[in-house]
Amino acid sequence: MVKLMSRALLLLLSLSLLITTPMAARWLNLHPAQNIDFHPFVPSGCEIQPANRLVSNSNLSDQSWRWGYVCGDYGIELEILRFNTQNYGKEATASTNLSYHRTGREELKRIGNRMLMAVEQGGEYRFVEEWFFVGSQMTHSVVETKLHEIWHMLRFRNAAVSKVTLVAWSPEYSLGNHQVDKVLAVARKALLDKYAAET
Amino acid sequence: MEGGLSINNLTPHISRSSKGTLISVLVGSIVIGVGLFFWSTTSVLLSIWQNLGYQHSYVVPFVSAYLLWQQKPVLAELLIKPSGIGVLALTSSCLLWFVAHQTLIQLVEQLSLVLIMASAVWAVLGFQIFRASSFPLFFLMLAVPIGAELVPVLVDITASLSIDTLQLIGFSVYREGSFLIMPNGSFHVADACSGFKYLFSGLTISILLSHITFEKLSSKIAFVLVSIPYYILLNSIRAIVVIIVAHESNMSVFVGEEHIWFGWLLFAVAVYVQFVAAHLLQKKQF
């Protein structure tokens, strides 16, 4: 009888664990959408622009951040969809959208064939990606495809990523994986120098 | 067989075959039940399979169910004995899932879902049944989307092997990143061409094949390990053939959908070769 009761107790414990764990997770929910703060990197000398001034046909959902900045005639916008267990995967194809303004295909060729991206988590840069392009391949769609790729990779590394920074493009420097801060500074300067040279 | 909750005790006239069926169904029900209880994770898994190139993962639960079904004769001999240690394992798995869920580390969350399924079987049906059904249960791990970080590495390997081979056989080709430029046109080794699907679908098949073919653990491990370079190399061969055919046809063949169909045809041939190899190795008691 005691044995039977102890087994019934074990079954009850198992069942209650299976029921209460997801319930507790829903109840506690540490990551409601409004709690994640997103601070875009803005090169000094540039100003943040409302996204709707930069993009007219953007297909954005409520759970996305849009930011952009302009440096004179340059305009760069990065759109990031917040991903969590609810929208993860479902909206994968719309996760990033990078737009360029004035800098069409020819302009991008002149800027260079290298693009960098860094991700900040908890104040530290955790991941950096660098892409190379053949000059003639540096089109909007290629860059956008690359952004999709990197975003998908980030999802598998750690879904808690809350900030992505588009750094700059420049052919003049190379990236050392452990020198991200230095690279960021160089990238900032490269972008501004480029802007200064063109104006 | 004392001390257990035998199905014989509950239903004295049940046949041995039916007992095995009943226990298999119980294990399957627990797995499905956990999947439903933790729907927030299961639904994410389903959408990743659909949207991010893990379509082969759809097959995994069915294979797992089949493998469990095959265990019926073994399961029929076992007793249902709810386990206290199993409950502890279940508690740990739930805790791991909870932490991963709250910190949004989805890979750990998804892996812990499989651990919860396995430990729930242990807790409710006992260690013997858990052990007998452990391969089908842990085979579900292969349905967890993993390895996307390898895509750039695989792209690089494919591009490197392709350009080396093409130059070796006399083609004029220049590489810049993942682009291969030839006189008649340029080729992009995109993510879809990385061989990621080849590798992970192939690994899933290899693990299954090694389990049903070989007795010795060392043989199983060796067979799976060899399949990794096999599928990576296969993808490079695919890329090289596509490039040569497209180039020689002045970019009129293998530049559209047909190169994808060719890829899957090649994959089917490669899987067949692997089956034959496994069969031959089994005969030699590898």
Side-chain angles (χ1 to χ4, degrees):
Chain A
M1 187 66 180
V2 173
K3 200 170 264 183
L4 198 67
M5 279 184 71
S6 71
R7 284 185 182 141
L9 189 67
L10 288 174
L11 288 176
L12 202 66
L13 264 173
S14 304
L15 192 63
S16 56
L17 268 170
L18 294 174
I19 293 172
T20 54
T21 307
M23 277 174 67
R26 265 197 299 276
W27 175 72
L28 193 61
N29 193 14
L30 291 176
H31 295 284
Q34 64 272 20
N35 282 3
I36 296 180
D37 203 7
F38 177 59
H39 303 285
F41 155 69
V42 182
S44 60
C46 303
E47 55 178 309
I48 296 183
Q49 291 292 303
N52 57 9
R53 280 184 58 185
L54 296 168
V55 175
S56 56
N57 60 349
S58 183
N59 178 24
L60 304 175
S61 78
D62 290 334
Q63 288 188 306
S64 66
W65 290 283
R66 288 165 286 174
W67 62 272
Y69 57 79
V70 289
C71 309
D73 289 339
Y74 282 105
I76 296 170
E77 185 192 31
L78 182 62
E79 168 201 336
I80 298 169
L81 260 180
R82 171 178 183 264
F83 55 89
N84 53 28
T85 49
Q86 278 72 46
N87 66 12
Y88 176 39
K90 196 175 85 183
E91 297 175 85
T93 53
S95 59
T96 54
N97 177 25
L98 185 67
S99 298
Y100 305 91
H101 307 276
R102 181 177 176 270
T103 53
R105 185 180 171 124
E106 294 303 309
E107 285 289 323
L108 287 168
K109 273 170 70 180
R110 278 203 297 126
I111 289 171
N113 66 348
R114 185 169 292 170
M115 187 167 82
L116 298 176
M117 182 173 264
V119 173
E120 190 178 349
Q121 282 179 285
E124 288 180 17
Y125 285 93
R126 293 280 297 274
F127 181 72
V128 170
E129 182 68 23
E130 185 178 27
W131 302 299
F132 298 90
F133 301 96
V134 178
S136 60
Q137 301 283 358
M138 183 82 176
T139 61
H140 182 123
S141 64
V142 168
V143 175
E144 194 173 349
T145 302
K146 284 291 167 190
L147 276 173
H148 279 274
E149 288 172 9
I150 189 70
W151 196 246
H152 290 166
M153 281 195 288
L154 288 172
R155 287 162 184 274
F156 290 97
R157 278 167 186 261
N158 187 341
V161 170
S162 61
K163 180 178 175 181
V164 172
T165 303
L166 173 69
V167 181
W169 306 266
S170 175
E172 283 99 29
Y173 58 89
S174 61
L175 174 71
N177 282 336
H178 304 292
Q179 296 176 306
V180 180
D181 286 337
K182 191 178 167 189
V183 168
L184 282 171
V186 175
R188 231 178 245 121
K189 187 174 182 307
L191 185 67
L192 289 175
D193 287 351
K194 194 76 201 168
Y195 164 61
E198 295 211 348
T199 53
Chain B
M1 293 243 178
E2 278 183 50
L5 180 61
S6 168
I7 287 175
N8 259 344
N9 299 340
L10 299 173
T11 50
H13 304 299
I14 198 166
S15 70
R16 182 164 290 184
S17 155
S18 303
K19 269 194 290 178
T21 306
L22 198 58
I23 295 179
S24 305
V25 170
L26 277 173
V27 173
S29 304
I30 289 171
V31 169
I32 292 170
V34 170
L36 292 175
F37 280 134
F38 291 80
W39 182 247
S40 61
T41 306
T42 311
S43 61
V44 171
L45 269 174
L46 293 173
S47 71
I48 296 172
W49 294 353
Q50 183 58 39
N51 296 316
L52 297 180
Y54 287 89
Q55 283 84 356
H56 70 276
S57 296
Y58 281 113
V59 183
V60 172
F62 292 102
V63 173
S64 195
Y66 173 76
L67 292 170
L68 184 65
W69 197 250
Q70 293 294 305
Q71 285 292 87
K72 279 192 306 174
V74 180
L75 293 170
E77 303 294 329
L78 305 175
L79 296 173
I80 297 175
K81 288 169 73 175
S83 159
I85 300 172
V87 173
L88 280 179
L90 180 61
T91 310
S92 310
S93 307
C94 285
L95 194 65
L96 182 66
W97 177 88
F98 185 81
V99 171
H101 184 79
Q102 292 302 331
T103 51
L104 298 174
I105 304 171
Q106 290 187 327
L107 179 60
V108 179
E109 184 183 328
Q110 289 156 2
L111 288 172
S112 59
L113 179 68
V114 181
L115 291 179
I116 291 170
M117 289 169 171
S119 53
V121 170
W122 184 357
V124 174
L125 302 178
F127 182 71
Q128 286 184 330
I129 292 173
F130 162 73
R131 191 169 61 180
S133 50
S134 59
F135 186 81
L137 287 172
F138 287 107
F139 190 76
L140 291 170
M141 288 272 183
L142 294 167
V144 175
I146 197 168
E149 297 89 344
L150 288 175
V151 168
V153 179
L154 292 172
V155 165
D156 190 52
I157 291 172
T158 305
S160 299
L161 285 174
S162 300
I163 193 164
D164 288 346
T165 310
L166 289 166
Q167 285 175 341
L168 195 70
I169 56 180
F171 282 94
S172 173
V173 55
Y174 165 72
R175 178 185 171 187
E176 179 125 2
S178 55
F179 289 91
L180 301 180
I181 297 117
M182 295 177 80
N184 284 351
S186 62
F187 300 86
H188 182 205
V189 184
D191 278 6
C193 316
S194 68
F196 176 72
K197 284 186 183 179
Y198 263 32
L199 182 59
F200 281 85
S201 308
L203 261 181
T204 304
I205 291 168
S206 304
I207 290 170
L208 177 63
L209 199 54
S210 72
H211 174 71
I212 59 178
T213 309
F214 303 113
E215 293 286 327
K216 287 189 285 184
L217 182 66
S218 58
S219 307
K220 292 178 185 190
I221 292 172
F223 188 80
V224 172
L225 287 179
V226 168
S227 73
I228 295 171
Y230 174 69
Y231 281 103
I232 291 175
L233 197 64
L234 182 77
N235 185 59
S236 296
I237 293 170
R238 180 182 72 91
I240 292 162
V241 171
V242 166
I243 290 171
I244 291 175
V245 172
H247 183 262
E248 293 301 300
S249 65
N250 205 17
M251 304 301 276
S252 61
V253 181
F254 276 179
V255 288
E257 280 265 306
E258 68 270 24
H259 88 276
I260 296 167
W261 291 113
F262 166 71
W264 285 115
L265 184 70
L266 192 66
F267 183 76
V269 172
V271 170
Y272 177 74
V273 169
Q274 214 183 9
F275 268 84
V276 172
H279 180 67
L280 293 175
L281 288 169
Q282 187 189 29
K283 273 186 175 176
K284 290 188 175 182
Q285 296 188 327
F286 167 68

